[in-house]
Amino acid sequence: MQGTVGELGEFGLIRELTARLPMTPVVELGPGDDAAVVKAPDGRVVATTDVLIEGRHFRRDWSTAYDVGRKCAAQNLADIAAMGAVPTALLLGLVAPADLPTTWATELMDGLRDECQVAGATVVGGDVVRGDTITLAITALGDLQGRRPVVRSGAQVGDVVAVTGWLGWSAAGLTVLQRGFRSPRAFVEAHRRPEPPYHAGPAASDLGATAMVDVSDGLVADLGHVARASGVDIDLRAADFDVPAQMADIGQAVGVDPLVWVLSGGEDHAIVATFPKSVGLPARWRQIGEVVRPARAGRGGVVTVDGAPWDRTAGWDHFAEQ
């Protein structure tokens, strides 16, 4: 499709975007009315939202519109899964300059649609407005299917800490891109299109997970949320992390300890959870630490590595100088 979104117009753009969307059985009413209608058999709706801004969260010279769609869907759907819920629906708020090529917007929607299909969800609506900078506001919905939500405040002393999914791959890929390269491709693609283990979230709830979070800002940072919310200290074991040989090679080439990517790099959207020691974890889960003690009074929970504070980059903070 040729032309710009300005030439196509608001309602023409909406028609082009919504025409690309399939519906799922959970959707009673999709795009086209004032609001969508999505079934919530459980009687509760799990909801989350994120905002992504061009230049801050993605760059068009690094990622295609399709990549951006896959990534922004993934990071929201992963939040749903990390609550122990099954993703059902996603809404998009798109702010776009009038001169944005229409193909960029339609390829973005293709990425959103395809990532939703991986998770079993679909895009059910949203809004488009004109603005100077491409901005994406994503809202994802999910259904607990009778499960209890797995929150950050449930970790107990003696629980094991386990993770499933990639760690450090996106950060390594970002480092490669920042240095002007496009390979090793596997790591660059991990940054462009993360692959959250969506099904692991509900499965962890069924196994008896006491607390859970997806790794969006960095493992130490995200487990820090769990530690503070639960009032416990968590200790991680460096030897239990898998650092692929190629990641180690990248680290050596750019002068970065790859463990920093594993412990502090975000945007892989792996899922990390705490479980009672009695739980037999499937092979996809790797034990990486333990909830070791109650937090000291007045200090809040902390995360250590091999018993020592992690004094390197803790993880992503939108208001820090990064």
Side-chain angles (χ1 to χ4, degrees):
M1 178 176 294
Q2 303 300 314
T4 66
V5 298
E7 293 167 343
L8 190 60
E10 176 185 356
F11 299 107
L13 177 59
I14 291 172
R15 284 193 298 271
E16 288 296 331
L17 297 181
T18 56
R20 316 176 85 81
L21 300 176
M23 292 297 104
T24 61
V26 77
V27 180
E28 286 192 1
L29 186 65
D33 282 83
D34 288 341
V37 179
V38 180
K39 296 177 183 176
D42 178 86
R44 297 167 294 175
V45 176
V46 180
T48 186
T49 191
D50 267 323
V51 176
L52 296 90
I53 303 171
E54 182 181 11
R56 180 69 172 173
H57 301 98
F58 64 89
R59 286 174 43 167
R60 280 190 272 174
D61 58 332
W62 284 358
S63 300
T64 66
Y66 183 81
D67 292 334
V68 175
R70 294 291 296 260
K71 185 173 184 175
C72 67
Q75 68 185 58
N76 282 270
L77 298 169
D79 283 338
I80 298 294
M83 294 298 293
V86 174
T88 57
L90 188 131
L91 298 105
L92 165 69
L94 171 62
V95 180
D99 62 356
L100 181 73
T102 300
T103 52
W104 197 94
T106 55
E107 289 169 11
L108 170 77
M109 183 59 78
D110 289 346
L112 285 164
R113 176 199 65 208
D114 290 355
E115 190 63 33
C116 280
Q117 288 182 330
V118 172
T122 191
V123 181
V124 295
D127 190 25
V128 295
V129 297
R130 177 173 176 169
D132 295 332
T133 302
I134 298 176
T135 303
L136 309 172
I138 307 293
T139 297
L141 307 177
D143 185 59
L144 286 162
Q145 297 183 341
R147 301 178 182 88
R148 62 177 179 83
V150 184
V151 295
R152 299 176 177 183
S153 58
Q156 303 292 318
V157 174
D159 285 351
V160 299
V161 180
V163 67
T164 184
W166 308 103
L167 285 175
W169 286 60
S170 178
L174 175 61
T175 301
V176 169
L177 287 167
Q178 288 172 331
R179 283 160 173 74
F181 298 101
R182 297 294 185 269
S183 63
R185 188 172 181 82
F187 293 91
V188 172
E189 289 303 306
H191 176 70
R192 289 171 172 160
R193 300 183 195 176
E195 298 181 6
Y198 298 117
H199 300 297
S205 177
D206 293 340
L207 286 168
T210 54
M212 186 158 53
V213 66
D214 85 301
V215 183
S216 56
D217 297 326
L219 181 65
V220 171
D222 288 315
L223 275 176
H225 301 319
V226 172
R228 287 186 290 275
S230 299
V232 297
D233 290 347
I234 293 173
D235 187 52
L236 304 177
R237 297 182 295 267
D240 288 340
F241 291 97
D242 178 28
V243 178
Q246 199 169 26
M247 184 187 291
D249 291 341
I250 298 171
Q252 185 174 17
V254 300
V256 175
D257 179 353
L259 193 62
V260 172
W261 291 327
V262 170
L263 293 176
S264 300
E267 295 194 318
D268 285 302
H269 301 288
I271 291 180
V272 62
T274 57
F275 297 90
K277 283 185 176 179
S278 59
V279 173
L281 293 175
R284 69 181 302 167
W285 290 90
R286 174 188 292 268
Q287 292 189 28
I288 56 172
E290 186 175 353
V291 181
V292 290
R293 67 182 69 87
R296 294 179 185 171
R299 185 190 63 177
V302 298
V303 178
T304 55
V305 180
D306 294 331
W310 178 250
D311 56 3
R312 308 192 199 183
T313 303
W316 182 257
D317 180 343
H318 281 282
F319 291 95
E321 293 293 331
Q322 302 185 69

